[in-house]
Amino acid sequence: EIVLTQSPGTLSLSPGEGAALSCRASQSVSSSYLAWYQQKPGQAPRLLIYVTSSRATGIPDRFSGSGSGTDFTLTISRLEPEDFAVYYCLQYDSTPWTFGQGTKVEIK
Amino acid sequence: QVQLQESGPGLVKPSQTLSLTCTVSGGSISSGSYYWSWIRQPAGKGLEWVGRIYTGGSTNSNPSLKSRVTISVDTSKNQFSLKLSFVTAADTAVYYCARGLARKGVAGRVIYGAFDIWGQGTMVTVSS
């Protein structure tokens, strides 16, 4: 099983600042089958990024993904008020598919 | 616009079977272009993949659930279902159904995409 470790656990930032969220895998995620989700309280997760760097439909370009192998990053260039949420990475390369434990981006 | 909606009992007794249904609207569940999946989330915790079914016929589930999982599709009702047997309090969670893209690759191997559409989730509590 591929274990995904996200860091930091919590990121305290102000609107307008940039954010870099890390997702490290215990073994290589081949074919870059790594996705990022945003989840707000009481809501289902929303797909932001798939295959490491492709933005899902309707996702603003302030969200970008990068990485390969075992190290992946979600970057939010300028935080908008609606971006404060919990973010999860998902590897869908090998079963069982696994999620990271999440990074909470909170308002400072 | 495809939408997914979970339904089922909100309370299940320990050792019994949890049964949930996901109704797909706005699209056909029979399309070979998608797979259908279940994910769960205990209160205040992270997400756990439960399993998936591809309407080409294959199913996979999380080995951590020790073969307690059955996922099936009812094309006549445009629904797919989850059965989780011998539940304990550890199975208490919000259960989400979700869709993802799928396609046949080389030698018939199925290539899966990320979950792109989710249901709103349904809370299931295991308690006597």
Side-chain angles (χ1 to χ4, degrees):
Chain A
E1 172 176 323
I2 297 178
V3 176
L4 299 180
T5 302
Q6 292 186 240
S7 61
T10 302
L11 209 45
S12 298
L13 295 166
S14 300
E17 290 191 290
L21 284 65
S22 171
C23 177
R24 288 192 169 168
S26 60
Q27 55 190 278
S28 182
V29 178
S30 61
S31 306
S32 297
Y33 287 157
L34 191 288
W36 290 92
Y37 291 85
Q38 177 193 70
Q39 187 178 34
K40 297 180 180 178
Q43 296 184 17
R46 177 174 73 142
L47 177 64
L48 300 175
I49 301 287
Y50 61 98
V51 291
T52 298
S53 59
S54 296
R55 269 189 302 277
T57 303
I59 301 303
D61 60 8
R62 64 179 181 274
F63 290 93
S64 62
S66 62
S68 65
T70 60
D71 288 334
F72 299 87
T73 301
L74 173 70
T75 301
I76 311 172
S77 59
R78 295 173 315 280
L79 284 161
E80 297 287 341
E82 62 268 27
D83 299 337
F84 292 93
V86 179
Y87 293 83
Y88 294 95
C89 55
L90 161 73
Q91 69 81 19
Y92 52 104
D93 174 48
S94 66
T95 53
W97 293 352
T98 50
F99 291 89
Q101 82 280 17
T103 290
K104 182 178 182 180
V105 179
E106 65 176 21
I107 299 176
K108 187 174 181 181
Chain B
Q1 175 90 359
V2 174
Q3 293 184 311
L4 281 62
Q5 178 68 58
E6 305 88 350
S7 59
L11 181 64
V12 182
K13 289 182 166 50
S15 81
Q16 293 192 340
T17 296
L18 176 161
S19 295
L20 295 175
T21 297
C22 182
T23 300
V24 179
S25 58
S28 173
I29 201 170
S30 302
S31 169
S33 299
Y34 302 105
Y35 70 90
W36 310 92
S37 197
W38 291 95
I39 302 105
R40 69 181 185 178
Q41 184 173 38
K45 297 190 177 180
L47 299 157
E48 180 183 33
W49 175 69
V50 173
R52 67 169 184 248
I53 186 165
Y54 173 53
T55 46
S58 65
T59 60
N60 292 88
S61 59
N62 196 322
S64 70
L65 297 170
K66 296 187 174 70
S67 302
R68 296 188 292 131
V69 172
T70 302
I71 298 175
S72 59
V73 167
D74 186 338
T75 55
S76 67
K77 295 182 179 178
N78 225 36
Q79 296 175 334
F80 66 105
S81 298
L82 168 69
K83 292 188 187 302
L84 181 65
S85 59
F86 304 107
V87 297
T88 69
D91 296 310
T92 294
V94 174
Y95 285 75
Y96 295 100
C97 59
R99 184 197 83 166
L101 285 168
R103 61 183 175 87
K104 289 277 182 67
V106 174
R109 178 175 174 259
V110 180
I111 299 169
Y112 297 98
F115 314 117
D116 60 349
I117 297 177
W118 296 60
Q120 66 184 28
T122 188
M123 179 69 201
V124 179
T125 300
V126 178
S127 174
S128 56

